[in-house]
Amino acid sequence: MADPAHKDAPCMPCSVEATLNLIDGKWKIVILYKLLKGTLRFNEIRRLLPGVTQRMLTNQLRELEADGLITRTVYAQVPPRVEYNLSELGRSLEPILMAMKAWGDANLNRSLPAAEAA
Amino acid sequence: MADPAHKDAPCMPCSVEATLNLIDGKWKIVILYKLLKGTLRFNEIRRLLPGVTQRMLTNQLRELEADGLITRTVYAQVPPRVEYNLSELGRSLEPILMAMKAWGDANLNRSLPAAEAA
DNA sequence: CCGTATCCAAGCGGATACTG
DNA sequence: CAGTATCCGCTTGGATACGG
């Protein structure tokens, strides 16, 4: 990649890949999923994701915001208050999120992929 | 990660996350997408993914195989011949793949020639 | 043709401490 | 409450060489 004028070799089904890239990340998809249900504050999301660190949560939220999938609203108050919401674009991901959840429920259904019934 | 004796696992939309984990990886989703159209040999896949290395392609294929999403058929011949196919489980991902492609086409619409959905 | 093996760089992600 | 900043290990993924 020593050629700045040359983009990465574009493989063509990139729309499916590009979509994946937006929701890829250790916590992004769960954040989006949780936000489907409504507005959440920073610490609310944090509580919903046991194991996440402030750094990662901030990072993932910023990336989602940069990709236009969520909105971030800061209230200039003395106890700081920041609310996160899905943008219209983010909300349009709902069918995909639901399809993925349904698939997981149906196929790996809280179990390990023990064997595939041929 | 898997801690059966531990009661806290409040992150219950994990099915959506678990599903994502199966298709996560730099090339996996494109491989699955390409395999939707039918059987492919190793070098055929390689040619469809400009920029992929043997190591990565092998790695991604092995992971997909381990997850039961694709099947690998080796023909004891000279020259060697290895065919990859979607398993039934892998094929059941089609709605998700298509939904992701449709979303990408609609929302981040690059200059995509329609030469892919053949 | 279909891989393995080895080396190595980049960056993702965790732990911790500090701030407005 | 909602972040930033720093350090650092681990994994991902690329380049190359070799093997059956």
Side-chain angles (χ1 to χ4, degrees):
Chain A
M1 300 315 169
D3 191 356
H6 212 137
K7 286 289 189 175
D8 262 15
C11 66
M12 253 326 128
C14 274
S15 44
V16 65
E17 199 181 7
T19 302
L20 178 65
N21 285 337
L22 294 185
I23 60 179
D24 180 29
K26 191 166 187 184
W27 307 96
K28 279 187 190 176
I29 202 169
V30 189
I31 295 171
L32 291 170
Y33 192 85
K34 297 292 189 183
L35 283 175
L36 276 178
K37 292 151 197 162
T39 302
L40 287 174
R41 297 178 60 177
F42 186 85
N43 274 351
E44 288 176 331
I45 302 177
R46 200 180 160 193
R47 261 178 269 279
L48 290 172
L49 309 182
V52 77
T53 59
Q54 294 97 324
R55 197 182 80 89
M56 271 315 293
L57 183 52
T58 302
N59 187 30
Q60 302 278 287
L61 287 169
R62 290 295 139 87
E63 287 188 19
L64 289 170
E65 189 191 6
D67 287 332
L69 297 179
I70 66 173
T71 60
R72 178 170 176 268
T73 309
V74 182
Y75 296 90
Q77 301 176 357
V78 167
R81 179 190 182 88
V82 180
E83 288 185 351
Y84 292 93
N85 285 280
L86 288 182
S87 65
E88 286 304 315
L89 188 63
R91 191 160 292 277
S92 70
L93 285 170
E94 182 163 2
I96 296 177
L97 298 175
M98 291 318 228
M100 290 178 64
K101 182 185 184 314
W103 191 92
D105 283 343
N107 292 286
L108 20 108
N109 212 358
R110 304 186 227 143
S111 297
L112 288 178
E116 42 171 339
Chain B
M1 286 283 259
D3 196 355
H6 218 220
K7 164 191 177 299
D8 77 324
C11 169
M12 234 349 263
C14 276
S15 44
V16 68
E17 199 181 5
T19 302
L20 178 65
N21 285 336
L22 294 185
I23 60 178
D24 180 29
K26 191 165 188 184
W27 306 97
K28 278 187 189 175
I29 202 171
V30 190
I31 294 171
L32 292 171
Y33 191 85
K34 296 294 189 183
L35 282 174
L36 277 178
K37 293 153 199 161
T39 302
L40 288 173
R41 297 178 59 178
F42 185 85
N43 274 352
E44 289 177 330
I45 303 177
R46 201 181 158 191
R47 262 176 261 282
L48 289 172
L49 308 183
V52 77
T53 59
Q54 294 97 324
R55 195 183 79 90
M56 272 313 293
L57 183 51
T58 302
N59 187 30
Q60 302 277 287
L61 288 169
R62 289 294 138 86
E63 286 187 19
L64 289 170
E65 188 191 6
D67 287 332
L69 298 179
I70 65 173
T71 60
R72 178 170 177 266
T73 310
V74 182
Y75 296 90
Q77 302 175 356
V78 177
R81 177 190 183 89
V82 180
E83 288 186 350
Y84 292 93
N85 286 280
L86 288 181
S87 66
E88 285 305 313
L89 188 63
R91 189 159 294 277
S92 70
L93 284 170
E94 181 163 3
I96 297 177
L97 298 176
M98 291 319 230
M100 289 178 64
K101 183 190 183 309
W103 191 91
D105 283 344
N107 292 287
L108 22 106
N109 219 343
R110 314 290 182 204
S111 48
L112 284 179
E116 37 178 308

